[in-house]
Amino acid sequence: MDTVPPYGDALAAPAPAVAGDLRDLVLDTLGREICGGVYAADSTFTTESLETRFQVSRPVVREALRALEALGLVAQKRRVGVRVLPATAWNAYDLQVIRWRLAGPSRVAQLRSLTELRGAIEPAAARLAAIRAPLNLASDLVGLSGRLWAAGKRGDTAEFVRLDLQFHGLVLEMSGNEMFAQLHHLVEEVLRSRTQYDLMPRYPAVEALQNHVDIATAIQTGNADKAAQAMVLITERALAEMSSIWDRELEERAAE
């Protein structure tokens, strides 16, 4: 059955004139709708319906659908049309898919998955960084931890978040594992969401600031166990803070 949801806010403005912008508009709108459950798994639609809905050419629609297909969100078949695939087929590590999920009703589940993944990755990365990190990068990390401490103590939340993103990204890079390094954007989404959900206190706990310093000095001195343990404390604190979000959702669902 061909289901065509109504135009959302994203389509309220006049359509851009550039073909690439039109393709991105179709891609982003459909991606949000699929990840948001507007299109259920196994529902179908046609390219013709999208041409009519978005008032764009067939090549523009085809480009957008190819991008969605590459992300595992849809599959195209002759005489069937475009079929929406279940979430198990999606590229869960793709930043675009993550942001579409964070923008929709599944944002809490996505945030929880990211937070749990962070707890598995970062301690291992810190351990490897203590073993493999070049001295110049280790020194940079120590400097970052000092600036992070100063920003936290003076209550400069924006600067603290900016430095925190750099700190955790650098630890992943210093692990010497290119796969860990490329997961930095997943960690960034968790860290940014702390601000979005008002979980970032103006003055971070002294223990949290100290944990960052401990990680940096442990990596600089090659103490792998201490680096991993200090990172565990950070990720466990983050999990505890973020758990208030999914606890709140459970309470809201129970009250419905």
Side-chain angles (χ1 to χ4, degrees), residues 68-239:
L68 290 172
E69 196 166 23
L71 294 171
L73 270 64
V74 301
Q76 302 183 70
K77 272 194 172 183
R78 285 179 178 274
R79 294 187 291 276
V80 173
V82 182
R83 181 171 67 89
V84 175
L85 298 178
T88 51
W90 303 349
N91 183 351
Y93 288 93
D94 187 87
L95 185 56
Q96 205 162 25
V97 173
I98 289 169
R99 288 179 174 167
W100 285 333
R101 293 194 70 206
L102 287 172
S106 61
R107 60 185 173 276
V108 172
Q110 176 67 89
L111 190 55
R112 184 170 192 163
S113 295
L114 287 171
T115 305
E116 291 171 347
L117 182 64
R118 181 189 175 197
I121 292 169
E122 288 204 89
R127 178 181 294 278
L128 290 173
I131 297 168
R132 300 173 174 172
L135 285 177
N136 63 318
L137 290 183
S139 297
D140 289 346
L141 192 71
V142 171
L144 262 177
S145 71
R147 296 200 300 277
L148 196 65
W149 180 290
K153 295 297 282 185
R154 67 174 179 266
D156 188 342
T157 303
E159 179 68 359
F160 182 87
V161 171
R162 186 184 72 81
L163 293 170
D164 203 26
L165 293 173
Q166 286 185 25
F167 183 93
H168 290 277
L170 186 55
V171 171
L172 291 171
E173 178 188 341
M174 291 164 62
S175 72
N177 183 307
E178 72 283 0
M179 298 184 77
F180 279 0
Q182 290 192 21
L183 293 177
H184 68 91
H185 62 272
L186 305 183
V187 175
E188 287 178 6
E189 291 300 320
V190 179
L191 295 174
R192 291 184 194 281
S193 63
R194 293 178 62 194
T195 303
Q196 179 185 349
Y197 286 96
D198 297 323
L199 294 174
M200 178 64 73
R202 181 176 179 186
Y203 297 98
V206 173
E207 295 84 0
L209 297 174
Q210 185 62 51
N211 290 152
H212 285 81
V213 173
D214 291 344
I215 290 167
T217 54
I219 289 174
Q220 187 182 48
T221 58
N223 191 331
D225 287 341
K226 185 176 180 181
Q229 289 163 6
M231 187 64 84
V232 166
L233 293 175
I234 286 180
T235 56
E236 285 182 346
R237 176 184 287 272
L239 186 61

